[in-house]
Amino acid sequence: QVANLISVSRPGVDKDNLESYIKRLSDVEKVAMSFEGVEKAFAVQAGRELRVFVNPEELDDLKAIKLSHELARKIEKDLQYPGKIKIDVVRELRVEAYAE
């Protein structure tokens, strides 16, 4: 009985629950994409984590930190979600050079 209760409560068990789950993930990603300098955003870990990839030429380190805080405040204000959402802002610059 306990196993059945746990199983029924996971996301995606029934169609209505699955649709609301997918919508919630999509909404979190859309909020992140609404910020300037954001290239990609992915809700992972069943929506408990948001990975945001930014353009390193548009945002420096301090602006990336500010973005993470602004994004957290906007999610708190605009969305309904269970628990906490961890926000990771990734700013990566890759440089290549060839010596011939």
Side-chain angles (χ1 to χ4, degrees), residues 9-21:
S9 67
R10 27 171 249 269
V13 171
D14 62 24
K15 186 176 179 182
D16 293 335
N17 200 9
L18 177 62
E19 289 174 2
S20 66
Y21 171 73

Side-chain angles (χ1 to χ4, degrees), residues 40-91:
K40 298 176 188 173
F42 302 99
V44 294
Q45 298 291 329
R48 291 185 301 267
E49 189 170 334
L50 177 64
R51 294 203 180 124
V52 180
F53 294 86
V54 298
N55 184 340
E57 295 170 0
E58 290 183 38
L59 297 175
D60 60 16
D61 288 341
L62 293 176
K63 287 180 182 175
I65 293 168
K66 185 177 177 184
L67 172 69
S68 69
H69 294 288
E70 289 175 355
L71 187 50
R73 298 297 88 60
K74 185 162 177 76
I75 289 172
E76 288 172 351
K77 179 182 162 207
D78 295 348
L79 300 178
Q80 297 288 328
Y81 54 92
K84 293 181 180 180
I85 298 177
K86 176 184 175 190
I87 299 167
D88 295 318
V89 175
V90 180
R91 180 183 175 269

